Amino acid sequence: MKEYEERKIPKKVAISITCNKCGNTKKLSDIWDEYEFQSFSITFGYGSLFDDQKWEFDICDTCLADFVKTFKHSPDINGV
């Protein structure tokens, strides 16, 4: 969950980011601060349990790692 403030340019700029799972909030003082969180946007198709819904959320890297540990099968990971 990101908090925004209006700037002089006609564009919203994130000033903080909050993990939707644990509630950890980080003020964004430079571009690198945002890399400790991941943003997800999921659009569910017709016939799914969440028919035609769109979910958007932010999760910190710690909560993401904990979530992935619950997977029966590890995700494919491609390194840099």
Side-chain angles (χ1 to χ4, degrees):
M1 173 173 59
K2 295 177 183 162
E3 182 181 345
Y4 294 92
E5 71 179 7
E6 291 290 334
R7 300 279 174 100
K8 288 185 179 185
I9 56 174
K11 175 182 169 185
K12 290 195 295 186
V13 177
I15 59 170
S16 70
I17 189 166
T18 301
C19 177
N20 284 81
K21 183 174 186 303
C22 72
N24 180 30
T25 298
K26 177 147 185 137
K27 295 290 183 196
L28 302 177
S29 58
D30 66 47
I31 192 169
W32 302 110
D33 291 339
E34 202 167 340
Y35 289 117
E36 297 173 32
F37 291 80
Q38 305 307 316
S39 297
F40 290 87
S41 177
I42 304 167
T43 303
F44 297 93
Y46 178 76
S48 77
L49 292 176
F50 309 104
D51 198 1
D52 289 332
Q53 293 181 17
K54 182 176 182 180
W55 293 5
E56 293 182 354
F57 58 92
D58 299 299
I59 191 167
C60 68
D61 286 350
T62 301
C63 287
L64 181 58
D66 290 343
F67 173 60
V68 170
K69 288 177 188 174
T70 68
F71 290 7
K72 183 174 184 174
H73 303 284
S74 297
D76 292 333
I77 299 173
N78 297 310
V80 191

